Amino acid sequence: MTSCPCGSGRAFAECCGPIIAGTPGTTPEAVMRSRYTAYTLKEMSHLRSTLAPEAQTDYDETSAATWARQAEWHGLEIVGCEAGGESDQDGIVEFRARYRMKGQEMVHHERSRFRRHDGAWLYVDGDIPKPKTRHVEKIGRNDPCPCGSGRKHKKCCGATA
């Protein structure tokens, strides 16, 4: 049994293998996993066949093949899925694909949009999620201490020992 490169824990023949061979994926996540696996196996024809018609015009197979060849693929993490059920026409899969290129560890993080087209789930496009920023409120030395003591910050929690 050969484990599937997508990291599902299932055998390739029971996971991404049939989808890459031409059986339509039943969910956006299944298609996303098969697309990752196609990159690891350099199956460029599968990448094209799982693109929505409007996405095929911008698809650069030469660049995709170069990326697939140059990358050493380390794993796929599905962050989350939205919609994509039996009665849905659209779905989203957020994922992180880890790889090494030119000696540098890389992560491709994307929120991919999928649409059902003639019964098959196809990749439409994706966005790179913006990193979450942490907001820290600066406390001035003469401001009241946030601990609620009623004293100035410099005379309370902000005092240096």
Side-chain angles (χ1 to χ4, degrees), residues 74 149 154:
H74 291 272
S149 68
K154 69 181 178 186

Side-chain angles (χ1 to χ4, degrees), residues 36 48 54 66 68 70 75 105 121 134:
Y36 170 83
R48 178 174 288 287
E54 66 270 25
T66 299
Q70 292 177 348
E105 296 294 324
W121 285 105
R134 192 175 134 209

Side-chain angles (χ1 to χ4, degrees), residues 84-105:
E86 273 187 39
S87 62
D88 294 322
Q89 293 302 308
D90 297 291
I92 294 176
V93 179
E94 184 174 347
F95 70 93
R96 289 186 188 102
R98 299 187 189 298
Y99 62 99
R100 182 176 184 86
M101 187 175 283
K102 298 180 182 177
Q104 189 174 4
E105 296 294 324

